Amino acid sequence: MSHSYTEENYIKAIYKLSANGTQEVNTNAIAEVLETKAASVTDMLRKLSAKDIVNYVKYKGVSLTEQGERVALQIIRKHRLWETFLVEKLKFNWDEVHEVADEMEHISSTLLTNRLDEFLGFPKFDPHGDPIPSETGEMKQIKQRLLSDMEVNDAGVVVGVNDSQPLFLQYLDKMGIALGSKIKIIDKIPYDNSLEINLEDNKKLLISSEVSKNIFLSA
């Protein structure tokens, strides 16, 4: 069954909002993510419920059905494969690809998606370190910790980011932090939980607590 551009955006939003373990997603949270009105969300949820994509009970929130989760994973698969293609083959920067991939993820051809996957060498992770679902919806997970949760003298390799917005990625570029960068925590400032870190080239940086909450290191 094919789904409209708008329906797919809702399905992906519900999947991402439930990724932190939330069983039922609040309609207001969906409205905020998609920048729309709660009434419009309610209308769409009724449509998706009729298609067996979501379990929706008024005033109790919404969750994806098994079918809905399969659809969500295929949308995410296409998005992350296109991001990988744009960075690796068309030389986009990692902060430039998200909006373009948002458009390309709605191409419905399964054959094209699978050929793209093969062309790229079946990558497991996208340019932001996020796992790419396989054709069957399986994802390779790696053990990771937020930089903010680590202690003085802990060290690790940057394996992903929790914020893929362009401004944040541009900030990391300016600081010289990228996937694969080796980081060691030198000091944690009690006043505001900012961190003094050391990059692999002995470059010392002071980063805010907010930044450290958006960088994943290998566990």
Side-chain angles (χ1 to χ4, degrees):
M1 181 185 295
S2 61
H3 303 281
S4 71
Y5 183 105
T6 303
E7 287 174 339
E8 289 190 345
N9 283 340
Y10 271 83
I11 295 167
K12 186 173 73 168
I14 294 167
Y15 180 87
K16 290 191 172 183
L17 286 168
S18 62
N20 61 1
T22 304
Q23 289 186 332
E24 293 178 332
V25 178
N26 185 285
T27 54
N28 288 331
I30 300 171
E32 182 177 352
V33 168
L34 296 177
E35 298 180 346
T36 189
K37 297 179 180 178
S40 299
V41 174
T42 301
D43 290 342
M44 177 57 74
L45 294 181
R46 291 196 185 105
K47 293 177 183 178
L48 293 175
S49 179
K51 292 184 176 184
D52 193 33
I53 295 297
V54 301
N55 298 307
Y56 172 58
V57 179
K58 194 173 182 180
Y59 304 122
K60 288 190 176 181
V62 61
S63 62
L64 292 174
T65 62
E66 287 187 14
Q67 179 182 340
E69 187 167 334
R70 286 196 296 269
V71 173
L73 286 168
Q74 289 309 305
I75 298 168
I76 291 168
R77 167 175 163 79
K78 288 184 286 185
H79 182 99
R80 293 177 180 174
L81 282 172
W82 283 119
E83 285 193 335
T84 304
F85 173 78
L86 291 167
V87 169
E88 290 189 0
K89 305 302 179 181
L90 299 187
K91 308 305 178 185
F92 278 68
N93 292 327
W94 68 339
D95 61 286
E96 298 174 325
V97 296
H98 187 73
E99 290 186 0
V100 180
D102 270 345
E103 299 293 327
M104 301 176 81
E105 71 186 25
H106 299 290
I107 298 173
S108 61
S109 172
T110 301
L111 178 60
L112 174 61
T113 303
N114 291 341
R115 291 282 176 85
L116 178 63
D117 192 17
E118 181 181 9
F119 175 69
L120 293 170
F122 305 103
K124 301 300 182 185
F125 300 94
D126 74 5
H128 307 117
D130 293 317
I132 300 174
S134 68
E135 185 179 0
T136 57
E138 297 173 347
M139 287 192 287
K140 182 178 180 180
Q141 300 289 352
I142 57 175
K143 292 182 179 180
Q144 59 187 24
R145 296 171 62 191
L146 283 172
L147 180 56
S148 57
D149 293 335
M150 301 178 78
E151 302 297 333
V152 174
N153 292 323
D154 284 349
V157 175
V158 177
V159 294
V161 293
N162 201 29
D163 182 353
S164 58
Q165 296 301 309
L167 285 177
F168 180 67
L169 298 177
Q170 290 164 14
Y171 169 82
L172 293 185
D173 283 339
K174 187 174 182 178
M175 294 296 103
I177 300 172
L179 294 184
S181 295
K182 295 178 182 178
I183 289 178
K184 181 177 181 179
I185 294 106
I186 301 173
D187 195 12
K188 182 175 282 191
I189 314 302
Y191 173 69
D192 58 359
N193 287 321
S194 58
L195 296 177
E196 185 179 1
I197 64 171
N198 188 53
L199 292 180
E200 53 195 309
D201 58 359
N202 290 320
K203 178 181 179 181
K204 292 184 179 180
L205 296 173
L206 185 66
I207 60 174
S208 70
S209 172
E210 187 65 28
V211 169
S212 69
K213 291 176 182 177
N214 284 292
I215 299 175
F216 286 111
L217 297 187
S218 55

